[in-house]
Every structure is written in C-alpha cells, then in structure tokens.
Amino acid sequence: MTGRVVHFEIPFDDAERAKAFYREVFSWRLQDMPEWDYVTVSSGPTREDGTATEPGYIGGGMTPRNDINRATVITIDTDDADATLATVAAHGGEVLQEKLPVGDMGFAAYFRDSEGNVVGLWQDAARPST
C-alpha cells in the first residue's frame, strides 16, 4: 500500500557528533554509506536485510544538511514518483528534486508541500513507473 510513511531523514552538520548523539541517547544502530554520503539508521528491531520485524516501526537515515534537507524529513511511499510529483505540483506543492535512482533499491524524490514542509517520496525498484 502506498501513502505510508516509510522512512525518515535527519540532517547533520557534523556527522560524528550526530552519530554519537543518537547512538548514545537512543541506542540506534548506524551504518555509514560513504558512496552516498549517508548513514542508515535502525531505530528498532530488523531482519538481516534491514526490514522491520515489528508493525509500525520505520528506519531512516542521516545526511549532511543541504538546501533540501534543512530539517527532519519524512518519506512517503508511492507506486509512481513521477505521477505523484505531478500531482503535488497540481495541488500547489513544489518539486525540489525529481526522481533519482538510489542504487538498485529504488528511487527518491523531494517536494515542498502547501505549508512549506519538505517531504520525501520513495518508489521501490520493484514498482517501475508506468
């Protein structure tokens, strides 16, 4: 089902400081992904492939603060990121980043909603756009 919040991203100014904070305060498991300048976050129980073992739990990531990721961002699942971005624009939102591949896992995009919030989109690679 699409429309669900499936991911979060927390921006940082200092990666080591941010990782230490969340690891020490919340016991999050963190994994550096230097090829994407990204840190994956497991904030709950997961299987070996990283998928959640408890209903309602979502994982996330940490990324350098930039023009798009200036504050914490939630990411919403979609079957078709291109179509969703078109719908966002038609309803007063602003496309900030068109759909881009994330390795062989899927596609990410970002938009600003009608209230000025930055929101991410995720399209799984198993669901190519039509």
Side-chain angles (χ1 to χ4, degrees):
M1 177 188 293
T2 63
R4 292 182 179 180
V5 175
V6 294
H7 188 76
F8 64 84
E9 291 180 332
I10 298 174
F12 56 74
D13 296 314
D14 181 314
E16 295 308 313
R17 180 180 63 207
K19 290 188 303 186
F21 177 86
Y22 285 99
R23 186 174 37 248
E24 293 168 17
V25 175
F26 298 107
S27 300
W28 286 1
R29 293 179 316 282
L30 309 168
Q31 180 180 348
D32 288 320
M33 300 188 82
E35 66 275 21
W36 294 322
D37 199 15
Y38 199 79
V39 178
T40 62
V41 174
S42 293
S43 62
T46 60
R47 296 177 186 85
E48 284 185 31
D49 67 358
T51 59
T53 59
E54 290 181 0
Y57 154 71
I58 62 170
M62 299 170 70
T63 184
R65 189 178 317 278
N66 59 42
D67 289 340
I68 294 175
N69 292 53
R70 300 190 61 72
T72 300
V73 171
I74 62 163
T75 301
I76 299 171
D77 187 55
T78 181
D79 281 336
D80 187 334
D82 294 322
T84 301
L85 290 174
T87 302
V88 163
H91 288 82
E94 175 188 3
V95 175
L96 299 175
Q97 180 182 302
E98 298 287 341
K99 180 178 82 175
L100 293 174
V102 178
D104 60 358
M105 297 177 288
F107 304 91
Y110 293 89
F111 65 90
R112 189 177 323 277
D113 71 9
S114 62
E115 306 310 303
N117 301 299
V118 174
V119 179
L121 289 176
W122 177 257
Q123 177 186 320
D124 194 77
R127 294 187 311 239
S129 296
T130 55

